[in-house]
Amino acid sequence: AAGAAHQCLFSVFRLCCTLGDVTGATAQSFLPRYYVTDEASGRVTFDAASARGTIKRIVGMTALVALCNTAITFSVPLLRPGLFTADAEVTRLLRRAAPIAAAGLLLHPPVVGMEGCLLATKDVRWLVRHYVVTGGIAVAATQLLLKVGALRSALSLDGIWLYLAAFQATRAISFVGRLVGVGKSPPKR
């Protein structure tokens, strides 16, 4: 039953991720106009001060998408579980894990939107370092959960969705920290 409930939540998750991914593309579309070329040196720089308002609007837009994702994640398993299953145990597990999955999906659009802002500002080196570090931590944590008997119980349906929400929260905190610093120390190219 847990596998079936996970599959149902994962289907909702994939739908909501698709909606949230648009926010990153929006950032990458609207921010390149803030690149300025110095006439004398030909040096291209990103005018972070001028872009800050656009970045704030993009992050604000992602909050609206996040609210839609959260509403979908709550409403389908809690109000309409029959869209996925008629099994009472699967429905019970769906209803129990839906709030945790919703927390992860609440963070997805802002994270992707901020990631799009960082890509648009060409802060690629920082992003690569961030991906390597967070990816390494995620792999190490997963291996600990799989191999240490006392931790294996955390691999329940709720635990897996909590793991995803924690991963998204980590990304959100680091991206906010980096975006607050945009313009204070330009990325190396």
Side-chain angles (χ1 to χ4, degrees):
H6 175 71
Q7 189 60 45
C8 295
L9 278 175
F10 187 71
S11 297
V12 172
F13 175 79
R14 292 299 304 149
L15 169 72
C16 291
C17 279
T18 302
L19 298 173
D21 289 347
V22 171
T23 61
T26 301
Q28 292 176 58
S29 297
F30 285 99
L31 291 177
R33 70 179 178 181
Y34 294 103
Y35 281 96
V36 179
T37 304
D38 182 273
E39 296 291 329
S41 69
R43 186 170 182 248
V44 177
T45 58
F46 184 76
D47 185 358
S50 296
R52 202 164 294 284
T54 301
I55 290 172
K56 285 180 182 178
R57 282 189 294 281
I58 289 168
V59 172
M61 176 200 67
T62 65
L64 293 174
V65 176
L67 290 175
C68 291
N69 279 355
T70 303
I72 292 168
T73 308
F74 269 115
S75 64
V76 172
L78 298 176
L79 302 175
R80 304 291 292 166
L83 291 173
F84 290 110
T85 184
D87 185 277
E89 179 64 10
V90 174
T91 298
R92 184 186 71 75
L93 291 170
L94 272 172
R95 287 182 170 155
R96 191 180 75 202
I100 302 166
L105 281 164
L106 178 66
L107 292 169
H108 179 73
V111 164
V112 174
M114 289 184 284
E115 185 177 49
C117 291
L118 291 167
L119 284 167
T121 60
K122 298 185 180 179
D123 203 354
V124 177
R125 286 185 184 183
W126 184 87
L127 278 169
V128 168
R129 281 193 305 267
H130 180 268
Y131 294 148
V132 168
V133 170
T134 56
I137 291 170
V139 168
T142 302
Q143 290 304 308
L144 278 172
L145 290 170
L146 290 171
K147 296 192 177 180
V148 176
L151 297 176
R152 198 166 294 138
S153 64
L155 290 173
S156 65
L157 177 67
D158 294 346
I160 289 169
W161 288 100
L162 185 61
Y163 184 82
L164 175 70
F167 181 72
Q168 292 287 54
T170 301
R171 292 179 70 205
I173 291 165
S174 61
F175 288 171
V176 165
R178 187 61 178 183
L179 282 174
V180 167
V182 166
K184 294 179 182 167
S185 61
K188 295 177 183 173
R189 296 176 210 245

